Amino acid sequence: MLRHALASMFEPSSLVIVADRPLPAAGSLSPALKAKTTVVACEAGAAPELPDRLEGLAPGERPDLALVCVSPAVLPETLRRLSPLAPRSVILLPHELPDPYPRGTLALCRAWAEENRCELLGPRSFGAQRPHAGLNLSQHPVLARAGRVALLAQSRSIMAAVMDWAEDVHIGFSTAVSLGDEAVVGLPKVLDYLASDPRTDSIVLYLEDVGPAREFMSTLRAAASVKPVIVLKAGRSDTDSGDAIFDAALRRAGAVRVRYFVQLFSAVKVLGYTRRPKGRRVALISNGSGPPQLAMDLIGPDAAVLRAELAPATQRALAAMLEPDAASANPVITFTPLTPERIRAILDAVLDDPGVDGVLVLLAPDALADMPAVARELAQIAPKAKKPVVTCFMGDAGMRPLRRMLDDAGTSAFRTPESAADAFGVLATHYYNQQLLLQTQPPEPATHVPDLTAAREVVARVRADCRRELTSSEIRTLLALFYVPLRDMPMDVAAAEPESRPMAIRVRRDPQFGPVIRFGAGGPDAVLSLADRGVDLPPLNGFLARQLIERSRLWRRVLAPRIGHMAAEALQQALVLVSELVSE
């Protein structure tokens, strides 16, 4: 079986450690790898003396990995002396002494790696960890717990913070990698490796710069098509709608974006849960009125999660088992002290409702209830439930051990209602974006095939005239060649008529992601739609066009109750035709 290009880095069978200080790597190696590990210690500020023969390897045999941590002053000489050993991969860890010429070091590493046919991670990388294999190829003193989530970051400090948090809450990783300066091994290469890694079920990315958009999107789509990918990108775009365009690109790639660092923690926790929802509708169960009200602030038409409408039969079943003043609609609220039997009965009734895609169980401390027994019951129910059950145990002193019990049982337990709702939103958004990722373009019909030759002639004439804008006549010609429907409307249409509501399909070219289509308000209301989610990347098919319309604020707040089926179909078809035009 062929090995991935980065297998020598993340699955090494032999190792050379070159450092001027003790590194954590030597303390956690497996016996098999330890037998093929050569440790070369050197004085600070002095180039290492490398042996002619390496432990466990035949003469001339290439080691898989070299782990290097030396001062910037001796790094060039260290790499020169490392060349005869010809390692397949190198990880350059940061040194306590600052590098006076970081750009020169970057160029040196890139040239050396190319000359020696070597994959190089760094310089100034956090390194990597593979907990299941006992590999701590970093300067982090503690090897993370083994898990099924991979963490990939473009920041050493963010990586260190997440690793420290994960240790406290018993969260494990399959792989943890910080890229450093990306001299050779960059984001797309590592993402490609993780997509095929059998130890990784889901991937979390922290990004600061996506680099070349085409390579990034291609690798991201490939990874997201087989595993959930969550993205936290730092830095808001200064350009018009830059964030909305990046969101649209991630949606089409099937990945999920989170906005804040605290949401990254929720995503890491919930991705360890094997259940995935088949929609956005969530039911809430609580032992008080306060927790669900806090969660409801993150639930609604403009959010990733919708409040489920419980069926009448479900409400009757709940009313029969709850006390008279309990709430049996969504949220389901009981004020009687919970017991394991009651929480199971309530959950069974709600999970059986076909209008529910998942459940949030939001519990506050209750001195009259046996909360540890309730938590143990949830730890039995949630991992086996047919729909996701996300729990929140509010508080710390008495509730933290209960959250840890649920975490260790393989289900997600959160500290606040907001973080629990946000975690379910990650799962729901992943399901939605996967539907977009799976869309393909239909074959072109025999009729109504666009006249591409004539359209390109129109554009060529405009360019020949050194013009950047088309005349009204040229625009109409182009639209007609792609069969985009046009109808002139009188200016004095009555305000009460549906046609009087201005709508707009706008097209622009983003410098990173290319053509972008936006659907939203026209006329004076257009300025209000700049941050709207009604944005997508062409080409579109009917399903994608429909989703674009329904995501827009104009549709949700104005058009949905006013436009009939035929008008919506016509609008959808117009978007598809415009997308064909801009794609060509």
Side-chain angles (χ1 to χ4, degrees):
M1 182 177 178
L2 293 176
R3 296 181 81 196
H4 192 278
L6 296 185
S8 60
M9 181 176 293
F10 300 127
E11 307 166 33
S13 58
S14 53
L15 175 64
V16 179
I17 300 176
V18 181
D20 60 7
R21 85 258 332 269
L23 295 178
S28 59
L29 299 178
S30 66
L33 183 56
K34 188 174 292 186
K36 293 186 176 183
T37 296
T38 303
V39 179
V40 180
C42 59
E43 297 293 330
E49 296 293 337
L50 299 179
D52 296 329
R53 185 166 180 176
L54 302 178
E55 292 289 337
L57 299 183
E61 185 178 355
R62 298 181 69 183
D64 270 350
L65 175 64
L67 183 64
V68 179
C69 181
V70 296
S71 68
V74 299
L75 179 60
E77 179 61 19
T78 301
L79 291 177
R80 189 188 69 79
R81 296 184 182 187
L82 197 59
S83 294
L85 300 180
R88 292 184 176 88
S89 57
V90 170
I91 296 178
L92 291 181
L93 297 179
H95 196 270
E96 62 184 15
L97 297 178
D99 188 346
Y101 308 108
R103 291 187 179 180
T105 300
L106 186 66
L108 167 71
C109 292
R110 189 171 288 136
W112 183 89
E114 183 177 353
E115 180 183 347
N116 291 274
R117 297 180 295 115
C118 174
E119 299 290 351
L120 187 145
L121 180 64
R124 297 189 296 183
S125 165
F126 168 91
Q129 290 195 3
R130 294 277 282 174
H132 72 276
L135 285 175
N136 186 0
L137 306 171
S138 72
Q139 290 177 331
H140 196 68
V142 179
L143 181 65
R145 295 169 181 266
R148 307 292 298 182
V149 179
L151 178 63
L152 175 57
Q154 289 181 323
S155 166
R156 282 187 292 153
S157 54
I158 294 296
M159 176 68 73
V162 174
M163 299 287 285
D164 188 68
W165 164 82
E167 177 62 25
D168 181 59
V169 297
H170 291 192
I171 298 296
F173 297 100
S174 63
T175 307
V177 185
S178 169
L179 296 172
D181 291 335
E182 301 186 46
V184 178
V185 175
L187 176 67
K189 280 188 178 181
V190 180
L191 194 54
D192 182 68
Y193 170 81
L194 295 174
S196 59
D197 177 29
R199 294 278 181 174
T200 298
D201 289 341
S202 50
I203 303 167
V204 174
L205 303 180
Y206 170 78
L207 302 182
E208 294 176 352
D209 178 21
V210 300
R214 184 182 294 273
E215 185 181 14
F216 168 72
M217 288 299 296
S218 176
T219 312
L220 183 64
R221 283 179 63 92
S225 66
V226 292
K227 299 173 183 180
V229 179
I230 310 299
V231 179
L232 171 62
K233 184 180 182 298
R236 296 297 177 91
S237 173
D238 293 331
T239 61
D240 176 33
S241 307
D243 274 337
I245 293 170
F246 185 70
D247 287 346
L250 291 188
R251 273 197 302 269
R252 287 296 292 275
V256 178
R257 184 182 186 183
V258 294
R259 295 277 179 178
Y260 305 106
F261 186 55
V262 67
Q263 292 177 300
L264 193 67
F265 296 150
S266 298
V268 171
K269 285 193 73 170
V270 82
L271 286 177
Y273 189 25
T274 56
R275 293 291 181 268
R276 300 282 186 263
K278 298 294 179 65
R280 304 166 56 199
R281 302 165 300 177
V282 67
L284 295 85
I285 300 172
S286 182
N287 61 349
S289 59
Q293 292 303 318
L294 293 173
M296 291 296 291
D297 289 341
L298 277 74
I299 295 174
D302 292 338
V305 184
L306 293 173
R307 182 170 67 170
E309 295 291 337
L310 297 183
T314 303
Q315 295 191 43
R316 287 194 297 270
L318 290 169
M321 71 178 71
L322 299 177
E323 69 274 17
D325 61 340
S328 56
N330 193 13
V332 179
I333 302 172
T334 177
F335 302 99
T336 302
L338 282 172
T339 64
E341 295 75 21
R342 279 170 60 81
I343 194 66
R344 177 177 285 275
I346 295 170
L347 266 175
D348 286 345
V350 173
L351 288 170
D352 284 340
D353 192 312
V356 172
D357 298 312
V359 179
L360 296 183
V361 180
L362 312 172
L363 302 180
D366 185 351
L368 301 179
D370 187 352
M371 296 305 290
V374 172
R376 285 193 294 271
E377 188 69 14
L378 286 169
Q380 293 290 322
I381 298 171
K384 302 174 184 176
K386 56 189 175 183
K387 299 173 184 176
V389 177
V390 178
T391 59
C392 164
F393 282 75
M394 298 181 69
D396 269 327
M399 301 297 255
R400 175 181 285 194
L402 306 186
R403 290 196 297 269
R404 184 158 292 179
M405 178 197 306
L406 286 155
D407 289 337
D408 292 342
T411 183
S412 307
F414 294 89
R415 184 170 175 266
T416 66
E418 295 92 339
S419 59
D422 197 66
F424 186 85
V426 168
L427 297 178
T429 303
H430 173 255
Y431 173 78
Y432 176 83
N433 291 356
Q434 285 293 298
Q435 308 311 302
L436 306 185
L437 172 64
L438 296 174
Q439 296 302 307
T440 58
Q441 291 302 107
E444 289 187 350
T447 58
H448 295 88
V449 177
D451 190 341
L452 297 182
T453 302
R456 286 167 180 156
E457 288 176 356
V458 172
V459 175
R461 286 196 297 270
V462 174
R463 287 175 172 168
D465 294 341
C466 299
R467 288 188 285 129
R468 297 177 62 88
E469 295 183 359
L470 280 69
T471 65
S472 175
S473 174
E474 290 166 337
I475 292 172
R476 288 177 176 274
T477 300
L478 267 183
L479 293 174
L481 291 172
F482 281 83
Y483 301 97
V484 179
L486 286 180
R487 182 159 64 102
D488 291 324
M489 296 296 299
M491 298 298 294
D492 57 349
V493 175
E497 297 182 21
E499 292 89 350
S500 66
R501 189 71 195 188
M503 293 177 278
I505 298 174
R506 297 178 176 84
V507 178
R508 56 166 290 189
R509 185 172 187 83
D510 182 76
Q512 267 196 313
F513 296 102
V516 178
I517 295 179
R518 178 190 300 279
F519 171 75
D525 296 336
V527 69
L528 302 177
S529 65
L530 291 180
D532 200 353
R533 294 175 64 237
V535 181
D536 212 334
L537 307 182
L540 304 176
N541 61 15
F543 177 83
L544 293 171
R546 180 72 184 185
Q547 297 304 310
L548 169 58
I549 294 168
E550 292 180 355
R551 281 197 307 271
S552 70
R553 186 179 293 116
L554 179 66
W555 175 265
R556 296 194 308 270
R557 299 187 178 181
V558 179
L559 299 180
R562 298 173 57 182
I563 286 189
H565 176 72
M566 296 297 292
E569 287 287 334
L571 181 57
Q572 175 181 312
Q573 183 62 18
L575 275 167
V576 171
L577 294 171
V578 170
S579 82
E580 290 181 3
L581 189 156
V582 299
S583 296
E584 295 293 344

